[in-house]
Structure formats: structure tokens, C-alpha cells
Amino acid sequence: MAVRILGLVGSLRAGSHNRQLAEAAAKHAPEGVELAVYEGLAEVPFYNEDLDVEGSVPEAAARLREAAGAADALLLFSPEYNGTMPAVLKNAIDWLSRPYGAGAVSGKPVVVVGTAFGQYGGVWAQDEARKAVGIAGGTVLEDVKLSIPNSIGRFSETHPADDAEVVEQVTEVLRKLAAAVEPSAA
């Protein structure tokens, strides 16, 4: 049985380079690994404890929790917005952190990667995402990182799925993430 990884993309823009990076990872996932890129983060309401009531959790949030709960691991793709992660990614982490101590991300291996326009590839945002998802209960693989700088130039005419170096890098990230999954889940 394949290791199931859920990909969450922190950019809602149709032409997002991080979405393209997620597509490249899904396309080139190594044998025995399935990466499903989640659709629907834009529909998840901002986290509000008043909405998070058993039996009446908003449908979009319940679907996100269900998808994360069914996954063996999570791979977050984060651009950098004003030096930190985008609100849509933080909101997803907040929903997945609840109920406290038993959220859909609890104990699951998580890796954060991404690409950004700047010279460091969005490392500040990725560090913030690692911090938040770790506090939320995820088991962050701190030593598995991929930050691709100059996304606008690098991917202006080449999709990440067609960039041999990027394909090699995302494939290695997926291998390491899959290896962190409990053998019983694989």
C-alpha cells in the first residue's frame, strides 16, 4: 500500500509557483508514494472556536480535517507573504490543530517546502509554518527542507515539473517524508 501524503498549498493564485511545485511533486512522486494536492483551502472559514462545535463544524473545514486524517503525512508548500506564511496556510494549520491534542495533524510527519521571488526562497515563511504546525501537533522533519529562490525568473518559462534539479529535489523530499511514516501505515 502506498504512503499517502496530503499537500497543502499556501497560495490561492491559479498560476502560483508553489502550486506548480506541488504539481511537480505529485507528478514525480517516487514509487510507493501518492501525493494528493488538496483543493478547497479558499473555502475554509477563518478559524473561530465558536464555529468549531461537534456536529456543526463548517463543511469545508470538516473536509480538510477528513483529508488530513486519511493521510499518512503532510507536505506544506509555502510562499512568503510579507516575511511570513500566508494566512490561508496558517488557517489550515489552525483547523487541523483541533480538537486540542487530537487534531488531524497530531503525530503525523510534516515537511514544509516552497519557492518565492526573493533570494532565499521563502525561508522565513517556511520556518514560521514549521513552528506553527509543530505546535499544532505535527512531527516536523526539521532536517528536510527545500527553498527555491527567484521563482519568477526560474519558473517564467519552465514549469517546475520540467526542471530536472527541482524534480530531483522534490522527489528526495517525498522519499524522506515517506520514510518517516510508521511502517504500519505504509
Side-chain angles (χ1 to χ4, degrees):
M1 188 161 86
V3 173
R4 297 164 310 193
I5 299 173
L6 181 66
L8 301 179
V9 179
S11 175
L12 301 177
R13 188 171 63 84
S16 158
H17 292 124
N18 279 282
R19 172 153 299 279
Q20 291 177 1
L21 185 61
E23 292 166 356
K27 179 179 180 178
H28 294 287
E31 188 174 335
V33 177
E34 293 175 8
L35 173 65
V37 180
Y38 189 79
E39 301 294 340
L41 286 185
E43 287 76 45
V44 178
F46 281 114
Y47 185 80
N48 177 341
E49 202 168 354
D50 292 340
L51 299 176
D52 194 5
V53 178
E54 190 173 335
S56 63
V57 171
E59 186 179 332
R63 278 194 317 270
L64 173 63
R65 284 179 172 167
E66 184 178 315
D72 298 315
L74 279 78
L75 180 55
L76 308 175
F77 296 84
S78 184
E80 190 166 273
Y81 291 2
N82 298 312
T84 192
M85 77 179 116
V88 69
L89 190 55
K90 175 64 167 72
N91 189 51
I93 293 168
D94 290 344
W95 277 104
L96 295 175
S97 73
R98 300 296 181 109
Y100 181 75
V105 73
S106 285
K108 293 194 182 204
V110 181
V111 168
V112 181
V113 299
T115 185
F117 174 67
Q119 65 180 336
Y120 300 111
V123 294
W124 288 349
Q126 294 161 32
D127 286 346
E128 290 294 319
R130 282 184 199 93
K131 175 183 168 189
V133 77
I135 291 170
T139 303
V140 178
L141 305 184
E142 294 284 351
D143 60 333
V144 182
K145 297 179 180 180
L146 176 59
S147 303
I148 303 169
N150 186 26
S151 60
I152 292 174
R154 181 158 190 170
F155 302 127
S156 65
E157 295 182 18
T158 303
H159 190 286
D162 300 323
D163 181 315
E165 180 184 21
V166 170
V167 167
E168 182 180 324
Q169 292 170 329
V170 296
T171 301
E172 185 61 20
V173 164
L174 287 169
R175 273 193 195 96
K176 289 178 179 177
L177 183 53
V181 172
E182 291 291 326
S184 61

